Amino acid sequence: MVSQLSNEQRVLFPKGEQRKFLDLVVGQLNCISVRGILQFGFDIPYCTLKNYYTQRRLLPKGFFENLCHLARIDKNQLDIKYIDPNWGQVLGGKKSRRKV
């Protein structure tokens, strides 16, 4: 499932808002911590979930929509942008070319 997520659009929150969103989801689902989200049948490793919480990685669109549906959060009220899966990557071959 992880390889499937890499070809999916990502959700870009303003700085610090992704953590607040996950805290809101934890509160709505009556979980003790972020790890409690995994009991709802998500096939995501805990280390990846921690990276989402610390904002090292962006949330995949499908996972974000599932969380919104499960926690009954209206995603239209959130300040988010959807970005392409290759956003932030270095263009292949551009960096390795050197002027002689």
Side-chain angles (χ1 to χ4, degrees):
M1 177 154 188
V2 174
S3 63
Q4 186 181 25
L5 293 178
S6 64
N7 293 331
E8 190 176 0
Q9 283 186 325
R10 300 285 177 162
V11 179
L12 181 64
F13 286 89
K15 188 171 184 173
E17 294 296 316
Q18 184 168 315
R19 176 178 275 199
K20 289 179 185 177
F21 169 74
L22 288 172
D23 284 336
L24 178 65
V25 169
V26 167
Q28 292 285 95
L29 297 177
N30 293 324
C31 298
I32 296 173
S33 66
V34 178
R35 181 174 241 161
I37 293 174
L38 297 177
Q39 73 183 354
F40 291 96
F42 292 110
D43 188 27
I44 293 177
Y46 177 62
C47 62
T48 304
L49 195 60
K50 285 192 309 187
N51 286 335
Y52 294 149
Y53 188 73
T54 59
Q55 301 173 358
R56 290 184 184 189
R57 299 180 73 187
L58 300 177
L59 288 171
K61 184 179 178 182
F63 181 58
F64 167 74
E65 290 177 350
N66 288 338
L67 286 177
C68 287
H69 178 71
L70 196 61
R72 296 185 183 112
I73 298 172
D74 186 15
K75 62 184 175 185
N76 296 326
Q77 300 296 324
L78 300 172
D79 183 25
I80 58 169
K81 287 189 255 182
Y82 294 110
I83 56 175
D84 292 331
N86 62 351
W87 176 80
Q89 292 181 352
V90 175
L91 294 176
K94 296 284 187 179
K95 191 169 186 169
S96 65
R97 292 186 187 190
R98 306 198 193 284
K99 301 228 179 197
V100 180

